[in-house]
Amino acid sequence: MSFLSRAAGLACLAGVAAVAAFPAAAQQGKCPEPGANSFSVVRDQPFIKADVQRDGSQIMVKTTSVVDGKTSQVQTRFDRGLLPVIRADQSGLIRQSFGPIPDDFWSFTVGQEISVPVTVDMRGQEKFEGTHRITVESIRTLAVGDCEYDVAMLLQDTDLGFTRLVFRQAYSPRLGFVLAAQRIDPANGETLSFVSYDRIEAQ
């Protein structure tokens, strides 16, 4: 497996599509309540739809996207909607396991930083070990269409030696879901991609 194939697969595992997207029109409909068992988020252009299902502390996300006229589907299981542990697509499975996350981390105190070991199994062909760091940068309010949620702005940095993946994510603890994500070039801090949604819909 090539370096580029590894990096692309790992980037998608982090829950960020490799497309550029920016906020647009407001939505119609009911806003999902905290702890909702199911809801959808939609981006109109380029089209992305994520159907979210809660299973205890695990969140299953089925993402459909259309890029350059091609439709793709990916299913990802997240721990608490934040840490991707399994990603399945037409190429197979990517599994990721993290060291224990301290319970007090989930209170999201600004300035808090944790560092845990991470292991990545790339479709049963290669396995990598490294370090995963999460920093709580700020707490703010994010609008998705007509709905507003308090989000923790998190910097996630995965260093596997052969590659380093850095994301800034707007994570809603009430929903257990990342509502916006920016992939950052670790070499110069420039934005590589940005994903957000136009609307969020209760189911």
Side-chain angles (χ1 to χ4, degrees):
M1 183 178 296
S2 70
F3 171 86
L4 290 177
S5 297
R6 295 170 183 167
L10 290 167
C12 290
L13 180 61
V16 180
V19 297
F22 299 91
Q27 73 169 51
Q28 302 294 325
K30 183 180 178 183
C31 299
E33 297 294 331
N37 287 327
S38 62
F39 59 91
S40 296
V41 289
V42 179
R43 171 71 214 173
D44 291 322
Q45 291 294 333
F47 179 80
I48 306 171
K49 182 181 181 184
D51 295 313
V52 182
Q53 294 282 338
R54 183 184 303 277
D55 180 12
S57 64
Q58 301 283 297
I59 302 291
M60 285 294 300
V61 181
K62 180 180 179 181
T63 303
T64 302
S65 60
V66 180
V67 180
D68 297 329
K70 297 181 180 180
T71 300
S72 62
Q73 290 190 333
V74 176
Q75 293 194 40
T76 310
R77 180 179 290 273
F78 293 86
D79 183 12
R80 303 204 193 191
L82 180 63
L83 301 172
V85 292
I86 300 177
R87 177 184 186 270
D89 63 11
Q90 65 273 17
S91 299
L93 291 176
I94 301 176
R95 299 178 182 273
Q96 192 165 235
S97 59
F98 299 86
I101 304 294
D103 289 340
D104 62 358
F105 169 76
W106 301 103
S107 64
F108 297 107
T109 302
V110 174
Q112 185 177 12
E113 180 176 314
I114 63 169
S115 178
V116 297
V118 60
T119 301
V120 181
D121 184 331
M122 295 289 291
R123 304 183 175 95
Q125 300 175 12
E126 296 178 286
K127 184 174 287 188
F128 307 98
E129 295 182 350
T131 302
H132 186 75
R133 291 182 293 275
I134 310 176
T135 303
V136 183
E137 296 187 319
S138 64
I139 306 295
R140 62 182 63 177
T141 300
L142 179 69
V144 182
D146 292 335
C147 304
E148 290 189 347
Y149 296 95
D150 291 334
V151 296
M153 298 303 300
L154 306 176
L155 189 69
Q156 296 211 54
D157 185 338
T158 304
D159 189 346
L160 295 174
F162 75 93
T163 190
R164 184 177 163 210
L165 302 171
V166 180
F167 295 92
R168 177 171 287 111
Q169 299 176 321
Y171 173 73
S172 167
R174 297 173 67 193
L175 292 175
F177 188 72
V178 173
L179 293 171
Q182 171 194 20
R183 186 179 176 191
I184 300 170
D185 188 333
N188 55 29
E190 294 183 357
T191 298
L192 297 175
S193 64
F194 180 79
V195 175
S196 63
Y197 301 97
D198 293 331
R199 58 189 183 275
I200 183 168
E201 304 167 346
Q203 293 183 350

